Amino acid sequence: MSPERLSQSGPEYLAQRHVLTYMEDALTQLLEHKDEVEPSSIAKFFSEYFTSVSRGTHVLFREFAFVQCTPHNRASFLRLFWRCFRTIAKNGDLLTIKEYQCLLQMLCPDFPMDLTQKAARIVLMDDAMDCLMSFSDFLYAFQIQFYYSEFLDSAAAIYQDLLSGKSINTVIVPTSRSATPCQRQPSSDSVSLEGVEAPQFYQCLENLCERDRHSTPPLPLIGQILGTAPRLTFYGFLMALSKNAGINHSIGEWPDVHRG
């Protein structure tokens, strides 16, 4: 048992691990299949459900609202996506955005297209959205966009405020409730500029990471990225996130798709 677990109260541990979310889902699943489950098999049903949660197979063919509702679910979906379609990486195939969307919807029928498009913009930028992408390029961009989607929405809003000339004292750091649902990508004019001052951007992101209840990339790694240059564009920030090995591993053990 980890020292962190010993320092937590029971309710804190349950909340951190989203145990109640899974209990509610298990009960919902049981009620939906009550005619198929014998009373004597209820314990076995719950055992198999939580085994699937542990293995990460519980998100397969589930609705998007469930797939994205916990960090574990998101990481599980990413691993399933890799396992199901890794032959694409091995074969070196190049696919379009629509083709990647079709693959995602094979695992999650209502997976939203806007998340796929946002991931593609990290690889291609807005002016090349019809180009083909390798599986590895898309995968690393997609996992950052999908796993940290709320953080990136808020970071994009902060970047646009700084780009418009607001000082660090007047920038409003979005909360999970005030963040816009769609990530504001920098326009082509914004990309051509020098961007914003990295130290200012970092201070705003530090504040965001302290407040945000959603998953955020490890702050020291964000600091490393923003410490490489005095200024940066938001597109450059997204690219650096997707290529950072430490941030990728913070999501979980991830296969080296470049090796196949």
Side-chain angles (χ1 to χ4, degrees):
M1 187 175 294
S2 67
E4 179 187 8
R5 169 66 186 95
L6 294 174
S7 65
Q8 292 177 309
S9 66
E12 288 174 338
Y13 179 80
L14 293 176
Q16 184 190 59
R17 301 294 180 176
H18 302 277
V19 173
L20 295 182
T21 298
Y22 296 120
M23 284 296 300
E24 291 175 0
D25 184 62
L27 287 170
T28 299
Q29 295 294 312
L30 178 61
L31 291 174
E32 289 180 357
H33 299 88
K34 61 183 179 180
D35 295 334
E36 305 168 21
V37 180
E38 297 291 336
S40 60
S41 301
I42 291 178
K44 181 181 178 182
F45 177 88
F46 280 105
S47 175
E48 291 177 347
Y49 175 87
F50 282 99
T51 296
S52 71
V53 171
S54 177
R55 292 175 177 172
T57 58
H58 64 301
V59 295
L60 186 60
F61 308 133
R62 294 296 303 273
E63 64 281 3
F64 179 73
F66 179 74
V67 168
Q68 60 87 47
C69 73
T70 72
H72 175 68
N73 284 10
R74 297 186 188 196
S76 298
F77 183 79
L78 289 167
R79 284 191 290 272
L80 282 174
F81 184 67
W82 159 253
R83 291 171 184 169
C84 290
F85 304 116
R86 57 187 173 186
T87 54
I88 296 174
K90 292 180 179 179
N91 295 335
D93 296 332
L94 303 177
L95 302 180
T96 65
I97 296 174
K98 290 183 179 179
E99 288 172 323
Y100 282 114
Q101 176 66 8
C102 288
L103 295 181
L104 290 166
Q105 289 185 326
M106 289 177 68
L107 305 180
C108 174
D110 65 336
F111 197 93
M113 181 65 171
D114 69 299
L115 274 178
T116 311
Q117 291 173 328
K118 288 177 182 180
R121 287 191 183 100
I122 298 177
V123 180
L124 302 173
M125 297 181 64
D126 285 333
D127 58 352
M129 292 293 283
D130 293 331
C131 293
L132 300 172
M133 291 173 284
S134 71
F135 188 79
S136 59
D137 285 344
F138 176 79
L139 184 62
Y140 279 103
F142 173 70
Q143 72 166 348
I144 291 294
Q145 180 60 62
F146 176 57
Y147 193 82
Y148 294 123
S149 59
E150 293 85 1
F151 167 80
L152 294 183
D153 285 343
S154 297
I158 290 170
Y159 176 88
Q160 291 294 341
D161 284 345
L162 292 175
L163 194 64
S164 67
K166 291 185 179 181
S167 71
I168 193 171
N169 294 323
T170 59
V171 169
I172 299 176
V173 178
T175 64
S176 58
R177 287 173 293 191
S178 64
T180 55
C182 295
Q183 179 177 313
R184 291 189 280 176
Q185 294 286 342
S187 65
S188 57
D189 291 340
S190 300
V191 172
S192 66
L193 298 174
E194 293 183 359
V196 301
E197 292 185 6
Q200 280 191 323
F201 193 38
Y202 175 77
Q203 288 184 42
C204 291
L205 293 184
E206 183 179 32
N207 190 5
L208 172 63
C209 289
E210 291 175 353
R211 297 185 178 194
D212 203 338
R213 66 181 180 85
H214 295 99
S215 298
T216 61
L219 193 58
L221 296 180
I222 294 176
Q224 290 178 16
I225 291 172
L226 297 181
T228 58
R231 302 181 68 86
L232 86 164
T233 64
F234 192 69
Y235 174 75
F237 177 63
L238 292 177
M239 284 290 292
L241 286 176
S242 68
K243 293 180 179 297
N244 187 280
I247 290 178
N248 284 312
H249 282 295
S250 73
I251 296 174
E253 234 9 81
W254 195 251
D256 188 345
V257 295
H258 296 289
R259 296 179 182 176

